[in-house]
Amino acid sequence: MKKTNYTKSKKSFSPETIRRLSLYLRNLRGLKQRGVKIVSSEEITRFLNISSPQFRKDLSYFGEFGKRGVGYEVDKLAQEIEKILGINKEWKIALVGVGGLGSALLKFPGFSKFNEKITVVFDNDAGKINKVKSGIKIQDINEIQQTLSKKNIKIVMICVSPENAQEIADKAIKANARAILNFAPVSLKVPKNVYVANVDMSCELETLIYFLNKSGI
Amino acid sequence: MKKTNYTKSKKSFSPETIRRLSLYLRNLRGLKQRGVKIVSSEEITRFLNISSPQFRKDLSYFGEFGKRGVGYEVDKLAQEIEKILGINKEWKIALVGVGGLGSALLKFPGFSKFNEKITVVFDNDAGKINKVKSGIKIQDINEIQQTLSKKNIKIVMICVSPENAQEIADKAIKANARAILNFAPVSLKVPKNVYVANVDMSCELETLIYFLNKSGI
DNA sequence: TATAGTTTGTGAAAATTGGAACAAACATGA
DNA sequence: TCATGTTTGTTCCAATTTTCACAAACTATA
Ligand SMILES: NC(=O)c1ccc[n+]([C@@H]2O[C@H](COP(=O)([O-])OP(=O)(O)OC[C@H]3O[C@@H](n4cnc5c(N)ncnc54)[C@H](O)[C@@H]3O)[C@@H](O)[C@H]2O)c1
Ligand SMILES: NC(=O)c1ccc[n+]([C@@H]2O[C@H](COP(=O)([O-])OP(=O)(O)OC[C@H]3O[C@@H](n4cnc5c(N)ncnc54)[C@H](O)[C@@H]3O)[C@@H](O)[C@H]2O)c1
């Protein structure tokens, strides 16, 4: 009994499952580039710090993608995971705040390489507005409402100073944004139908220091 | 109830507890700056998407820091959490790869503001070596071994291209590094006594897209 | 075709994690 | 001092998440 309908999975899964799918996908892309055609659950998880049953179970929530006694077709599984994650179609992204971090993100090919593209950027610094950076013209933050609406952009990366992050989130949501990738070290307050992911480097660092310190220098 | 039972060790806590402590601390610092002296578990968690019993339980693993019927002294609790995390002492950090992201991290005051300081940086680009960036002279990556040993640096941030990340990790570990904050989108292979935290923006973004896509645009 | 050897998919058990409830501790005010 | 109200610290319970074990499905070879 083949399952092809991703929207109807039998049991509910952890959000961690989704995060792991993203890791599997990255791994699969690497394998594909190296010419590997078939991979087993054992092989693909070997260097990921994830158990092979975990891998199989994660996939099982969405269907059957392997062949027993053989393994998984690298290319096919990559495509299936892309479909599950929804990154088989193109997603346009707006970036707000073209400072040190924003500029780095603009140059980063990891997003644009695939179907995630930063297509508009905003700032409130008169010295930056209308300048072109990494091939994209920086727009006035005051244009965010009409631009997001017109281009139907749902994803916003926030790279402004912490004090202004909430204000930008509010503006973005008013412009119908539904997903925020927040780099500012603040907890954003958003309605329930808006998804927020925080990239919190200080938090990661401090967690690391805790374990380092506990281990005795 | 005071901690009088030494035979039975306290229950072990989730690593998530440590991550949350870092968030509490950030919040406490903000409150302190705004002149708040006392805070309750209810107030401190209100905008954090964390329940107040969770907060109290997280703290309970490490001691009793509040006063019943009153709450927590902001400044005192901040100091206690700093002590728990081990960030009450200074930690020197090395950064490898002064590209777009590395340069942004160098400028970022969030680390240096407190006791986490990037004190040395490395690159392998002849055009960058010996140049000064954000007040720090960029060193040749070949000097990593002797410099880390000499300065007794245990924490390394990896901001090089994905293909070179493992090589840098190996070098850092050989130079007695014990903690790695990895920004390259690869899974690093390290010995058990080395701690790795990954800052994985693509992964965050793809997870976000999954939920956005599932919700119907 | 039969048999041995792999590897997947999955239900059930185990472990972990979060949440609710409540007694203990403290403050306040009569 | 006593009663009332507040907030913490902790225990117990529910829910989630991972791990384990194994039948099912497939390959290869004789
Ligand atoms: N740089 C890092 O490595 C790093 C690391 C972790 C977190 N962060 C966080 O990321 C955010 C950006 O960091 P950064 O180093 O790029 O800061 P930055 O000061 O270099 O850049 C901030 C940019 O945002 C713009 N901006 C500020 N307010 C705005 C507003 N209301 N509307 C539009 N644009 C606005 C500024 O003009 C500037 O260009 C900060 O919140 C910072 O704490 C940065
Ligand atoms: N820029 C971003 O926004 C962003 C976002 C997510 C992840 N990342 C990841 O972070 C890493 C750095 O990104 P970036 O945009 O700064 O790249 P970059 O190419 O701008 O910078 C890389 C730097 O590392 C140096 N380097 C390369 N190999 C080295 C080696 N063997 N020894 C010493 N130095 C070496 C290069 O000389 C360069 O200065 C990459 O792995 C990238 O995938 C970047």
Side-chain angles (χ1 to χ4, degrees), chain B residues 1-8 10 60 62-68 76:
Chain B
M1 181 98 52
K2 283 275 190 271
K3 302 180 284 182
T4 49
N5 193 341
Y6 293 99
T7 55
K8 224 198 278 178
K10 278 211 168 184
S60 79
F62 303 95
E64 300 188 4
F65 307 107
K67 200 184 267 187
R68 302 182 185 201
K76 183 179 148 232

Side-chain angles (χ1 to χ4, degrees), chain B residues 22-32 44-45 48:
Chain B
S22 175
L23 292 180
Y24 305 146
L25 176 58
R26 176 183 294 160
N27 214 325
L28 288 165
R29 284 167 173 169
L31 290 169
K32 187 183 172 188
I44 200 174
T45 54
L48 278 183

